[in-house]
């Protein structure tokens, strides 16, 4: 599912930025995946807090989040570099989602995570 978003961003910015569109699409997919992971982590932390379950401290939560984020960045860098991107680009269908909506998704996830972290 995330491959569709990557290719949509890549194709949209390919016209205007050329090779720089690869970096933009990679930044987008990293931001999207990390924001989704942050929302899930914030939800689980808020749930555990409401249930009075002490799973981990806040410091350990952020250290674990940073480690997972570094893993996601390296995974995406290896995955969307080269042959995989070429194959996805050849198989891709035309995008029907507006570009502004694609950028609102990670922003909305981060906003939701911040709300959940305040709980």
């Amino acid at each position: 599912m995330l491959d569709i978003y990557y290719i949509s961003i890549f194709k949209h910015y390919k016209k205007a930025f050329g090779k720089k569109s690869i970096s933009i699409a990679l930044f987008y997919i990293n931001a999207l995946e990390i924001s989704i992971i942050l929302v899930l982590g914030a939800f689980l932390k808020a749930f555990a807090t409401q249930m009075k379950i002490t799973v981990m401290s806040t410091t350990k939560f952020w250290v674990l989040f940073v480690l997972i984020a570094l893993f996601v960045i390296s995974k995406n860098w290896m995955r969307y570099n080269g042959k995989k991107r070429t194959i996805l680009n050849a198989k891709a269908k035309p995008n029907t989602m507006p570009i502004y909506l694609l950028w609102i998704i990670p922003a909305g996830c981060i906003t939701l995570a911040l709300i959940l972290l305040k709980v």
Side-chain angles (χ1 to χ4, degrees):
M1 182 178 136
L2 296 176
D3 294 340
I4 296 167
Y5 295 146
Y6 176 83
I7 291 298
S8 299
I9 294 288
F10 175 70
K11 283 187 174 183
H12 178 78
Y13 288 110
K14 178 89 173 153
K15 301 168 192 164
F17 294 108
K19 283 195 168 203
K20 186 78 172 157
S21 63
I22 297 169
S23 299
I24 295 169
L26 190 60
F27 171 77
Y28 173 78
I29 201 69
N30 285 333
L32 180 63
E33 279 191 55
I34 290 171
S35 65
I36 290 171
I37 291 168
L38 181 61
V39 166
L40 290 173
F43 173 76
L44 292 175
K45 187 169 179 357
F47 181 75
T49 303
Q50 291 293 322
M51 297 299 291
K52 308 262 192 264
I53 302 171
T54 307
V55 178
M56 66 175 60
S57 67
T58 304
T59 306
K60 289 180 182 178
F61 171 79
W62 286 111
V63 169
L64 182 63
F65 174 72
V66 168
L67 290 174
I68 291 171
L70 290 173
F71 173 75
V72 166
I73 290 169
S74 63
K75 175 192 68 104
N76 285 336
W77 177 69
M78 289 187 289
R79 182 176 183 173
Y80 294 113
N81 200 3
K83 199 175 218 180
K84 176 80 172 185
R85 185 185 64 242
T86 308
I87 292 169
L88 288 173
N89 201 11
K91 289 182 178 180
K93 297 176 183 168
N95 184 20
T96 58
M97 280 183 108
I99 195 73
Y100 69 87
L101 186 60
L102 289 175
W103 284 103
I104 288 175
I105 295 171
C109 286
I110 290 171
T111 305
L112 185 62
L114 290 175
I115 292 169
L116 286 172
L117 286 172
K118 296 291 181 188
V119 170

